[in-house]
């Protein structure tokens, strides 16, 4: 499974692609940070991000995109830009019929370090070790994008099991309601 | 000037196009609300909105897009979806080299009703009167999209004056710094 990890942002947007193998085996294929100038209009910055992300998707052809889920507990204006960038990235995936999954920062930290409250240095250190990189990925956005992709690789089997369980529950509900409908019709006919 | 007004949202996204004439003259050309099903994945909903907005832009060929500026003081999860939808809409404009302006809800209310704290009913009533519509636009998202476009039409001259003043100030600063550089060079040479 080829996963593209994205740490969305207007000023810096971290991008990574990793390949998941057997078990917990993961290999880094690419990592970079896209920057857009702060003095540009918002819609032009979003276009720069969209162009870069579309190029990555068409070059690396990932099976799935893992994006960091934004929370509004941070700085208000930053969060809005991050959400807008995330929307543009999810759109690029939808246009190519690539699945998108969102992971919260604590899910990502817990996946790679075992601690949902790990700091940036711990995440970077673990990402470097897990992927057996020669040097630490910098800036933090690059390490975060790699951590996101690793997190998705490792959570994917669980996500698939949960989706299967949900589908089964929906199917059972549908069958139950169909049976109920038949019984009601019989009762009505008997009256 | 043809203005496309957008009240962004995942569940309901209000779209309008109005034509601004002399003074405060405005004519409604189109208004609609795009809906996306809540049970669909986020990236697919964003694609539906993007497709609808791109179709509107290519059909109506607006000169400028006015989008409601989102604040995070509202419901957190709604705000994120609204920001993501707004990002996708701004991107569609950037791809066509159409300018984008954001207006806050209170700027819009103040423009059409004279009161920045006006309620939805007052906004709808004033929009209906200003555009001389036969019936009130519904739902509120449709009225909001029209109000946004009116607001932009009426604020456009002021926005243009402010941009001109900023450009002038930047030019003067540039000239002043160039003169300063020359004087410093002269002083250095004189030493």
């Amino acid at each position: 499974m080829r996963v593209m990890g994205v740490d969305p942002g207007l000023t810096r947007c971290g991008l990574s692609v990793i390949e998941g193998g057997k078990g917990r085996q993961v290999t880094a294929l690419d990592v970079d940070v896209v920057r857009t100038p702060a003095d540009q209009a918002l819609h032009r910055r979003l276009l720069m991000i969209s162009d870069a992300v579309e190029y990555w998707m068409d070059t690396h052809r990932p099976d799935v995109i893992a994006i960091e889920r934004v929370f509004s507990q941070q700085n208000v204006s930053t969060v809005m830009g991050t959400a807008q960038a995330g929307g543009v990235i999810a759109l690029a995936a939808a246009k190519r019929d690539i699945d998108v999954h969102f992971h919260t920062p604590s899910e990502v930290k817990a996946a790679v370090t075992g601690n949902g409250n790990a700091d940036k240095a711990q995440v970077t250190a673990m990402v470097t070790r897990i992927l057996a990189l020669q040097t630490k990925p910098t800036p933090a956005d690059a390490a975060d994008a790699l951590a996101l992709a690793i997190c998705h690789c490792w959570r994917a089997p669980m996500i698939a099991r949960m989706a299967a369980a949900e589908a089964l529950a929906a199917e059972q509900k549908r069958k139950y309601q169909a049976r109920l409908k038949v019984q009601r019709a019989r009762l009505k006919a008997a009256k």
Side-chain angles (χ1 to χ4, degrees), chain A residues 168-178:
Chain A
L168 186 67
E171 173 64 13
Q172 284 174 333
K173 191 179 169 190
R174 200 189 57 70
K175 276 190 187 163
Y176 172 75
Q177 283 175 335

Side-chain angles (χ1 to χ4, degrees), chain A residues 139-152:
Chain A
D141 313 79
D144 283 346
L146 288 166
L148 259 158
I150 297 169
C151 168
H152 185 81

Side-chain angles (χ1 to χ4, degrees), chain A residues 23-26 111-112 130 149-158:
Chain A
R24 307 206 112 204
Q25 201 183 313
V26 281
V112 299
I130 292 164
I150 297 169
C151 168
H152 185 81
C153 266
W154 290 353
R155 294 186 85 210
M158 185 201 65

Side-chain angles (χ1 to χ4, degrees), chain A residues 20-82:
Chain A
K22 275 185 188 167
R24 307 206 112 204
Q25 201 183 313
V26 281
T27 315
L29 298 187
D30 203 351
V31 63
D32 202 2
V33 173
V34 178
R35 292 159 204 271
T36 74
D39 60 356
Q40 283 277 315
L42 171 69
H43 58 296
R44 293 193 207 291
R45 299 177 78 182
L46 290 173
L47 182 56
M48 288 175 204
I49 291 169
S50 174
D51 284 346
V53 164
E54 294 204 322
Y55 180 78
W56 270 60
M57 287 180 187
D58 293 337
T59 310
H60 290 295
R61 305 196 162 276
D63 300 306
V64 60
I65 314 289
I67 307 182
E68 186 170 296
R69 189 184 293 278
V70 189
F71 279 109
S72 67
Q73 60 212 21
Q74 300 144 264
N75 181 305
V76 173
S77 62
T78 312
V79 160
M80 288 300 141
T82 307

Side-chain angles (χ1 to χ4, degrees), chain A residues 79-131:
Chain A
V79 160
M80 288 300 141
T82 307
Q84 285 161 334
V88 159
I89 293 154
L91 174 71
K95 279 186 177 168
R96 287 157 181 78
D97 207 20
I98 304 175
D99 249 352
V100 178
H101 286 272
F102 290 86
H103 301 277
T104 65
S106 55
E107 282 166 349
V108 175
K109 289 173 189 171
V112 299
T113 72
N115 169 13
N117 293 313
D119 61 22
K120 289 205 176 289
Q122 286 173 296
V123 170
T124 299
M126 280 308 296
V127 163
T128 309
R129 195 192 300 178
I130 292 164
L131 295 169

